[in-house]
Amino acid sequence: MIFSTAYSIALNDRAALERLGPALSAAPYNAPPQAPVVAIKPRTCWRGQGAATPLPEDLSAVEIAPTLGLLFATDCGPGVSPSAAIGAACLALDVGEPGGDFYRPAIRQRCRDGFLPLGDFGPWAEALAKVEIVTCIDGQEAHRWSLTRLIRPVDRLVRDLSDFMTLRAGDLLLVGLPDDAPIARAGQSITVSASGLPTLSTRIEAQA
């Protein structure tokens, strides 16, 4: 169970950095990120397995980024083995408004109510660090990506984060977002699956 904070990692997909290319060295930051790019998904975002994902009335669609969530069983700081600290894992959808960028904090765009559907947790296994995640919309495959695309694989990501922050027992870490995340609209049913983990399901429902 999540007791603390849900963290999301941006720009950890190799495809995203390849697409952005020279833009990463332009203003305002003038260089590619040298450390993990971390954001928080507030508690109002969280939704459990099977719960609906709201589509705000000012949006016609949402971006649904499938990813892996790591639940920490013990505090993880410098010198702590990630494999010893991770207690469980789940599939997740990091939902956001389509067309956002990384040059300003996307607080409203990615932190609206219900914008983090979570699947049921399963036991952590090292094989999940390279798992392939498949997303279907209305029963048809809409997206497939492997965590082998991560610039910082799970072990390195957790170690790099714990160099400057402590991941607490009960924290959830979303390991990265695919650059080619699919788009979903009101009324569509979403399922996310990966070998070794319970399937995540949700439905996009227009918000009155």
Side-chain angles (χ1 to χ4, degrees):
M1 181 176 181
I2 310 171
F3 292 104
S4 188
T5 305
Y7 297 101
S8 179
I9 302 297
L11 294 177
N12 197 28
D13 179 13
R14 198 173 309 280
L17 266 67
E18 290 174 353
R19 177 179 62 83
L20 290 168
L24 291 170
S25 298
Y29 298 118
N30 302 315
Q34 302 301 306
V37 180
V38 189
I40 289 175
K41 298 286 278 193
R43 288 175 182 265
T44 55
C45 294
W46 306 354
R47 291 293 185 273
Q49 159 62 16
T53 299
L55 177 68
E57 59 183 354
D58 59 318
L59 297 179
S60 61
V62 286
E63 178 186 273
I64 51 170
T67 187
L68 177 71
L70 308 176
L71 183 65
F72 287 83
T74 62
D75 290 358
C76 187
V80 176
S81 167
S83 60
I86 300 169
C90 72
L91 293 170
L93 281 173
D94 192 330
V95 180
E97 296 182 13
D101 63 50
F102 298 103
Y103 290 99
R104 292 291 183 269
I107 296 172
R108 188 206 70 215
Q109 291 87 344
R110 304 210 70 89
C111 296
R112 301 179 75 157
D113 291 355
F115 271 22
L116 183 57
L118 299 170
D120 291 333
F121 286 94
W124 167 247
E126 294 289 344
L128 295 176
K130 297 181 179 180
V131 77
E132 187 173 60
I133 303 174
V134 180
T135 302
C136 292
I137 299 178
D138 290 338
Q140 300 296 314
E141 184 174 319
H143 185 265
R144 180 185 293 260
W145 80 302
S146 169
L147 296 188
T148 57
R149 277 169 48 176
L150 295 179
I151 294 168
R152 288 181 170 86
V154 168
D155 188 78
R156 181 186 167 194
L157 173 65
V158 175
R159 291 184 187 278
D160 286 354
L161 281 171
S162 61
D163 280 345
F164 62 87
M165 60 184 283
T166 298
L167 293 158
R168 300 292 184 186
D171 282 351
L172 182 74
L173 176 64
L174 309 178
V175 300
L177 311 179
D179 188 55
D180 54 348
I183 299 296
R185 294 173 171 79
Q188 292 187 311
S189 296
I190 317 299
T191 59
V192 184
S193 59
S195 178
L197 287 172
T199 297
L200 163 63
S201 61
T202 186
R203 180 178 173 84
I204 309 298
E205 292 191 358
Q207 204 169 43

